[in-house]
Amino acid sequence: MLTSFVYVGRESLEMMFLSLMVSSAIGYNWKLFTSAGVGLVVGLIVGWFLGQALEPYEAIMYALLSALMLYLFYTSKDMAKHIKHHVEQIKQGQTGTLVGLFTIFFIFAREFMEIFTFMFQAVNNTKEGWIGASLAIAIVFGAFPFIKKHLNTQTMFVVTRYAFLVFAFWFGYEAIEHL
């Protein structure tokens, strides 16, 4: 339960902050919610297929996740600045609303694919795992107004960056456990 709560919670926070940044540039409207909804469905479908395909290879999956998390830790040092640059381009009309909507789709598809790939693994696809994941999403969703108003985005990206490092070690441990 704790693993699902922490992993899904981190992914949900990342999705929330990225969506918040992009939506500040293009505004909230039905197109934005449609993009997010389609991304969610695509992420669910791809995540289910990946979860099924990777099931027999849990040790390899965890080793790859560990490597990915290490890569993200080392490459995400200036992630907030990089994302803000793209958001500014959308705001200034340099790339347009269509790019903003595709970005929202991509954020939701990618993050939900990661969540569902993780959740559809046998070790997480339990009643307790789904309760932990649901609780994490409910807390992030419920905290959204507070976070939007009071939390500095830069601070959140620093926390997320170090979460990548923690997950790299955690998934490395899981890879060894599943050998």
Side-chain angles (χ1 to χ4, degrees), residues 6 18 20 26 35 51 67 73 94-95 110 145 155-156:
V6 172
L18 292 171
L20 181 61
I26 63 174
S35 272
F73 172 73
Q94 294 173 352
T95 56
R110 190 194 76 165
T155 303
M156 194 57 215

Side-chain angles (χ1 to χ4, degrees), residues 10-20 107-108 111-112 115:
R10 192 206 64 78
E11 293 292 342
S12 298
L13 281 170
E14 183 180 344
M15 190 172 16
M16 179 187 62
F17 277 104
L18 292 171
S19 299
L20 181 61
I107 289 167
F108 275 74
E111 298 301 332
F112 272 105
I115 288 170

Side-chain angles (χ1 to χ4, degrees), residues 142-151:
F144 177 76
F146 176 81
I147 290 171
K148 181 180 176 183
K149 185 174 182 179
H150 298 290
L151 192 62

Side-chain angles (χ1 to χ4, degrees), residues 31-157:
K31 292 176 189 173
L32 179 93
F33 294 113
T34 302
S35 272
V38 171
L40 187 151
V41 171
V42 168
L44 170 68
I45 293 167
V46 173
W48 183 82
F49 280 114
L50 278 174
Q52 299 303 308
L54 294 174
E55 185 71 37
Y57 310 103
E58 282 183 334
I60 294 169
M61 179 197 65
Y62 280 117
L64 289 172
L65 281 171
S66 178
L68 173 65
M69 293 296 142
L70 275 175
Y71 169 78
L72 289 172
F73 172 73
Y74 287 112
T75 61
S76 66
K77 188 172 186 171
D78 295 323
M79 185 63 69
K81 187 188 302 182
H82 178 78
I83 291 171
K84 283 183 182 182
H85 170 72
H86 288 293
V87 169
E88 287 302 316
Q89 285 182 322
I90 293 170
K91 277 184 181 177
Q92 295 171 1
Q94 294 173 352
T95 56
T97 302
L98 188 59
V99 172
L101 292 174
F102 178 75
T103 302
I104 290 292
F105 163 79
F106 186 74
I107 289 167
F108 275 74
R110 190 194 76 165
E111 298 301 332
F112 272 105
M113 178 203 63
E114 290 178 25
I115 288 170
F116 287 120
T117 299
F118 181 79
M119 290 305 300
F120 284 127
Q121 296 298 308
V123 69
N124 303 312
N125 195 5
T126 63
K127 179 181 172 185
E128 293 81 15
W130 286 101
I131 289 172
S134 299
L135 186 59
I137 290 171
I139 289 172
V140 169
F141 184 76
F144 177 76
F146 176 81
I147 290 171
K148 181 180 176 183
K149 185 174 182 179
H150 298 290
L151 192 62
N152 180 343
T153 306
Q154 182 67 30
T155 303
M156 194 57 215
F157 278 107

